[in-house]
mmCIF file of all heavy atoms in Angstrom:
data_model
loop_
_atom_site.group_PDB
_atom_site.id
_atom_site.type_symbol
_atom_site.label_atom_id
_atom_site.label_comp_id
_atom_site.label_asym_id
_atom_site.label_seq_id
_atom_site.Cartn_x
_atom_site.Cartn_y
_atom_site.Cartn_z
ATOM 1 N N ILE N 315 13.076 -4.350 15.616
ATOM 2 C CA ILE N 315 13.197 -3.643 14.333
ATOM 3 C C ILE N 315 11.914 -3.811 13.516
ATOM 4 O O ILE N 315 11.430 -2.860 12.882
ATOM 5 C CB ILE N 315 14.415 -4.171 13.552
ATOM 6 C CG1 ILE N 315 15.695 -3.853 14.319
ATOM 7 C CG2 ILE N 315 14.472 -3.570 12.152
ATOM 8 C CD1 ILE N 315 16.922 -4.519 13.738
ATOM 9 N N ALA N 316 11.363 -5.026 13.523
ATOM 10 C CA ALA N 316 10.109 -5.247 12.785
ATOM 11 C C ALA N 316 8.977 -4.409 13.373
ATOM 12 O O ALA N 316 8.150 -3.859 12.630
ATOM 13 C CB ALA N 316 9.747 -6.730 12.847
ATOM 14 N N LEU N 317 8.940 -4.284 14.710
ATOM 15 C CA LEU N 317 7.891 -3.481 15.336
ATOM 16 C C LEU N 317 8.050 -1.998 15.007
ATOM 17 O O LEU N 317 7.060 -1.287 14.770
ATOM 18 C CB LEU N 317 7.913 -3.696 16.847
ATOM 19 C CG LEU N 317 6.742 -3.103 17.629
ATOM 20 C CD1 LEU N 317 5.427 -3.712 17.161
ATOM 21 C CD2 LEU N 317 6.914 -3.346 19.129
ATOM 22 N N ILE N 318 9.295 -1.527 14.977
ATOM 23 C CA ILE N 318 9.537 -0.127 14.593
ATOM 24 C C ILE N 318 9.083 0.105 13.149
ATOM 25 O O ILE N 318 8.492 1.148 12.823
ATOM 26 C CB ILE N 318 11.032 0.219 14.773
ATOM 27 C CG1 ILE N 318 11.393 0.224 16.264
ATOM 28 C CG2 ILE N 318 11.349 1.569 14.152
ATOM 29 C CD1 ILE N 318 12.884 0.380 16.523
ATOM 30 N N THR N 319 9.333 -0.869 12.285
ATOM 31 C CA THR N 319 8.887 -0.750 10.894
ATOM 32 C C THR N 319 7.369 -0.662 10.800
ATOM 33 O O THR N 319 6.819 0.144 10.033
ATOM 34 C CB THR N 319 9.388 -1.958 10.087
ATOM 35 O OG1 THR N 319 10.811 -2.068 10.215
ATOM 36 C CG2 THR N 319 9.027 -1.813 8.617
ATOM 37 N N VAL N 320 6.684 -1.484 11.606
ATOM 38 C CA VAL N 320 5.219 -1.439 11.619
ATOM 39 C C VAL N 320 4.723 -0.069 12.080
ATOM 40 O O VAL N 320 3.783 0.507 11.494
ATOM 41 C CB VAL N 320 4.660 -2.552 12.525
ATOM 42 C CG1 VAL N 320 3.152 -2.394 12.706
ATOM 43 C CG2 VAL N 320 4.962 -3.919 11.934
ATOM 44 N N LEU N 321 5.376 0.486 13.104
ATOM 45 C CA LEU N 321 4.968 1.807 13.600
ATOM 46 C C LEU N 321 5.214 2.887 12.549
ATOM 47 O O LEU N 321 4.422 3.824 12.415
ATOM 48 C CB LEU N 321 5.727 2.135 14.890
ATOM 49 C CG LEU N 321 5.389 1.252 16.097
ATOM 50 C CD1 LEU N 321 6.275 1.603 17.283
ATOM 51 C CD2 LEU N 321 3.920 1.397 16.475
ATOM 52 N N MET N 322 6.317 2.754 11.793
ATOM 53 C CA MET N 322 6.581 3.730 10.738
ATOM 54 C C MET N 322 5.505 3.695 9.660
ATOM 55 O O MET N 322 5.089 4.724 9.129
ATOM 56 C CB MET N 322 7.949 3.443 10.095
ATOM 57 C CG MET N 322 9.137 3.807 10.951
ATOM 58 S SD MET N 322 10.693 3.438 10.089
ATOM 59 C CE MET N 322 11.890 4.051 11.291
ATOM 60 N N LEU N 323 5.046 2.492 9.342
ATOM 61 C CA LEU N 323 4.045 2.340 8.284
ATOM 62 C C LEU N 323 2.626 2.574 8.790
ATOM 63 O O LEU N 323 1.693 2.623 7.975
ATOM 64 C CB LEU N 323 4.150 0.945 7.667
ATOM 65 C CG LEU N 323 5.425 0.680 6.864
ATOM 66 C CD1 LEU N 323 5.461 -0.755 6.379
ATOM 67 C CD2 LEU N 323 5.528 1.635 5.682
ATOM 68 N N SER N 324 2.447 2.692 10.094
ATOM 69 C CA SER N 324 1.102 2.918 10.627
ATOM 70 C C SER N 324 0.535 4.243 10.138
ATOM 71 O O SER N 324 -0.664 4.345 9.838
ATOM 72 C CB SER N 324 1.127 2.893 12.158
ATOM 73 O OG SER N 324 1.513 1.625 12.613
ATOM 74 N N GLY N 325 1.391 5.268 10.060
ATOM 75 C CA GLY N 325 0.921 6.560 9.555
ATOM 76 C C GLY N 325 0.437 6.459 8.124
ATOM 77 O O GLY N 325 -0.587 7.054 7.760
ATOM 78 N N VAL N 326 1.160 5.694 7.306
ATOM 79 C CA VAL N 326 0.739 5.505 5.914
ATOM 80 C C VAL N 326 -0.577 4.738 5.863
ATOM 81 O O VAL N 326 -1.465 5.049 5.064
ATOM 82 C CB VAL N 326 1.834 4.760 5.129
ATOM 83 C CG1 VAL N 326 1.438 4.617 3.662
ATOM 84 C CG2 VAL N 326 3.157 5.480 5.241
ATOM 85 N N ALA N 327 -0.716 3.734 6.734
ATOM 86 C CA ALA N 327 -1.958 2.954 6.750
ATOM 87 C C ALA N 327 -3.152 3.809 7.183
ATOM 88 O O ALA N 327 -4.245 3.695 6.621
ATOM 89 C CB ALA N 327 -1.798 1.760 7.693
ATOM 90 N N VAL N 328 -2.935 4.682 8.164
ATOM 91 C CA VAL N 328 -4.013 5.574 8.610
ATOM 92 C C VAL N 328 -4.417 6.515 7.475
ATOM 93 O O VAL N 328 -5.610 6.770 7.243
ATOM 94 C CB VAL N 328 -3.565 6.363 9.857
ATOM 95 C CG1 VAL N 328 -4.560 7.474 10.177
ATOM 96 C CG2 VAL N 328 -3.408 5.434 11.045
ATOM 97 N N TYR N 329 -3.416 7.040 6.756
ATOM 98 C CA TYR N 329 -3.720 7.925 5.613
ATOM 99 C C TYR N 329 -4.514 7.172 4.555
ATOM 100 O O TYR N 329 -5.464 7.717 3.972
ATOM 101 C CB TYR N 329 -2.419 8.458 5.030
ATOM 102 C CG TYR N 329 -2.616 9.365 3.832
ATOM 103 C CD1 TYR N 329 -3.046 10.675 4.010
ATOM 104 C CD2 TYR N 329 -2.387 8.909 2.545
ATOM 105 C CE1 TYR N 329 -3.235 11.507 2.924
ATOM 106 C CE2 TYR N 329 -2.574 9.728 1.457
ATOM 107 C CZ TYR N 329 -2.996 11.031 1.650
ATOM 108 O OH TYR N 329 -3.184 11.844 0.569
ATOM 109 N N TYR N 330 -4.147 5.905 4.312
ATOM 110 C CA TYR N 330 -4.872 5.107 3.321
ATOM 111 C C TYR N 330 -6.323 4.898 3.746
ATOM 112 O O TYR N 330 -7.253 5.046 2.936
ATOM 113 C CB TYR N 330 -4.173 3.761 3.161
ATOM 114 C CG TYR N 330 -4.951 2.775 2.336
ATOM 115 C CD1 TYR N 330 -5.032 2.908 0.952
ATOM 116 C CD2 TYR N 330 -5.613 1.712 2.935
ATOM 117 C CE1 TYR N 330 -5.749 2.023 0.193
ATOM 118 C CE2 TYR N 330 -6.338 0.804 2.178
ATOM 119 C CZ TYR N 330 -6.404 0.970 0.808
ATOM 120 O OH TYR N 330 -7.126 0.084 0.063
#
Side-chain angles (χ1 to χ4, degrees):
I315 296 171
L317 189 60
I318 292 173
T319 305
V320 172
L321 293 176
M322 287 180 177
L323 292 176
S324 297
V326 183
V328 169
Y329 179 76
Y330 171 74

